[in-house]
Amino acid sequence: MVEEVLAGLTAKPKYCSPKYLYDQKGSELFETICELPEYYPTRTEEAILARAMPEIAALAGEDATLVEFGSGASRKVRLLLESLSIQRYLGIDISREFLIESTRRLAADYPWLEVHAACADFTRGVALPEVIDPKRLVGFFPGSSIGNFTPEAAEGFLNSLHQLLPPGSGLLVGVDLVKDHQILEAAYNDADGVTAEFNLNLLDHLRRKLGIAFHRERFHHRAFFNAEESRIEMHLDSRTAQVLQLKGKTIRLREGESIHTENSYKYSVSGFQSLAARAGFGSRRVWIDDQGLFSVHYLTSSPGMQLMMEHQSQQRP
Ligand code: AVI
């Protein structure tokens, strides 16, 4: 972690991996973001899933094991558990306490379900615990978390899932769509400042873990749509010139200099389908809400396309 953070904070321009947004507090703040009126992805995706459920159930078939990547509060998966014929669930998340808490709740609420939890950084490659039979898997990657990878890393990640999921397995992915810039920017600059708090919390996380003496009042949150790259960028801008120390190394920030903390890529339906195809997935079905805000894709792992591509981890925002 020290090396990774130091590399980012001494790079030009400065960056920090978005995974450091998600300590316990960050995961809770993200749950609050999901409830905000400006943050349309969560409620839109949930509505799409609810409407598409009979079709999803038919595509997933009987007795599948559901594997959720970045399970967070495991809220959306409840929709699937209630409608699909699922016997076994595996939640994978980087935030340990949050993962334990949410999978415990799932196990209590669905006594018939075999629940497993794996605390892992799935952006560094995925291996399934031995208890999981790899034959009948349905992957679930909701919330447009795929948008937090660069398109190259998204393709690398999907390719690593393709290695994991035997031919014919399903992968249900939520993907946020390109749209009116005002709607996009409002979603990352909410009136209550929760997203700002979520971004600034990264500094508290790094201070606690690495001892960097960040003063959060010396930074402010900035988020905007970069149309050329088709992504929302989130930054922490330094209000003043400042000098920080990490394990004997000096980090200098100029007034106004930013630390780039997150990208959230927005796709067209066909753009995402092409990316998935390059990673070995065929598109079986796609659902979109009436306003064209968000898409949910049911992909299937195609046989004979196990490209030996090296998985690229999500180093940069
Ligand atoms: C988790 N991820 C899909 C969110 C997004 O929209 O990119 C994270 C987020 N960042 C700010 N608000 C929400």
Side-chain angles (χ1 to χ4, degrees):
M1 181 173 177
V2 172
E3 275 155 29
E4 188 180 25
V5 170
L6 196 59
L9 295 185
T10 52
K12 284 183 186 150
K14 292 183 172 29
Y15 67 90
C16 183
S17 169
K19 68 185 173 208
Y20 298 118
L21 292 165
Y22 297 93
D23 60 348
Q24 175 74 14
K25 174 91 186 293
S27 299
E28 284 165 13
L29 283 165
F30 178 63
E31 291 310 311
T32 309
I33 288 175
C34 292
E35 305 285 334
L36 294 170
E38 296 94 334
Y39 196 74
Y40 61 85
T42 311
R43 62 173 177 277
T44 311
E45 185 181 44
E46 282 176 1
I48 295 172
L49 284 172
R51 226 166 58 179
M53 209 46 80
E55 279 182 84
I56 296 172
L59 288 164
E62 296 289 313
D63 301 334
T65 295
L66 190 63
V67 182
E68 187 177 17
F69 301 97
S71 50
S74 299
R75 224 176 69 166
K76 290 170 197 155
V77 80
R78 288 169 181 260
L79 283 169
L80 301 188
L81 293 174
E82 268 144 43
S83 314
L84 270 56
S85 168
I86 300 287
Q87 300 299 311
R88 208 170 291 106
Y89 168 83
L90 168 67
I92 308 178
D93 204 285
I94 192 170
S95 181
R96 186 183 169 83
E97 300 310 316
F98 209 69
L99 173 72
I100 293 173
E101 213 177 281
S102 58
T103 41
R104 277 214 175 113
R105 272 201 306 268
L106 272 189
D109 294 346
Y110 302 92
W112 45 266
L113 185 70
E114 195 183 308
V115 177
H116 298 271
C119 179
D121 176 3
F122 60 79
T123 65
R124 289 178 175 269
V126 199
L128 291 178
E130 273 172 25
V131 286
I132 302 298
D133 172 8
K135 283 194 205 75
R136 299 206 40 75
L137 298 178
V138 175
F140 186 41
F141 196 40
S144 201
S145 295
I146 194 87
N148 297 132
F149 294 89
T150 61
E152 299 73 37
E155 192 181 319
F157 173 64
L158 286 183
N159 188 259
S160 69
L161 296 192
H162 182 248
Q163 314 286 328
L164 195 78
L165 301 172
S169 308
L171 179 63
L172 194 60
V173 198
V175 182
D176 198 8
L177 297 173
V178 198
K179 62 184 68 65
D180 183 288
H181 297 184
Q182 277 180 352
I183 300 178
L184 281 170
E185 291 188 345
Y188 294 82
N189 291 286
D190 62 280
D192 288 347
V194 184
T195 309
E197 186 61 27
F198 171 68
N199 198 8
L200 287 160
N201 178 63
L202 177 138
L203 302 175
D204 295 341
H205 185 194
L206 295 186
R207 184 181 37 214
R208 217 181 36 253
K209 280 265 179 65
L210 303 178
I212 311 178
F214 280 120
H215 290 272
R216 58 147 64 204
E217 63 284 0
R218 293 188 190 158
F219 290 86
H220 70 90
H221 160 79
R222 181 166 59 98
F224 61 92
F225 186 62
N226 177 338
E228 213 170 292
E229 300 286 348
S230 194
R231 69 189 188 201
I232 286 280
E233 291 186 14
M234 221 164 61
H235 293 257
L236 287 166
D237 287 356
S238 180
R239 292 184 193 274
T240 57
Q242 44 182 321
V243 179
L244 301 159
Q245 299 289 334
L246 173 57
K247 308 281 177 199
K249 297 273 183 344
T250 302
I251 301 157
R252 291 176 202 282
L253 282 128
R254 284 175 279 106
E255 182 182 340
E257 189 174 356
S258 91
I259 304 173
H260 187 174
T261 52
E262 188 185 59
N263 286 319
S264 194
Y265 283 83
K266 310 300 170 187
Y267 288 92
S268 65
V269 167
S270 59
F272 183 73
Q273 285 172 331
S274 309
L275 186 149
R278 289 195 296 275
F281 283 97
S283 178
R284 281 294 294 277
R285 183 79 170 87
V286 55
W287 300 271
I288 303 163
D289 60 292
D290 295 342
Q291 289 172 272
L293 297 174
F294 201 91
S295 61
V296 174
H297 298 248
Y298 195 96
L299 307 173
T300 43
S301 189
S302 323
M305 283 191 62
Q306 306 264 335
L307 308 174
M308 292 313 290
M309 250 175 70
E310 212 164 277
H311 172 60
Q312 303 171 42
S313 77
Q314 184 193 28
Q315 294 282 315
R316 287 173 175 258

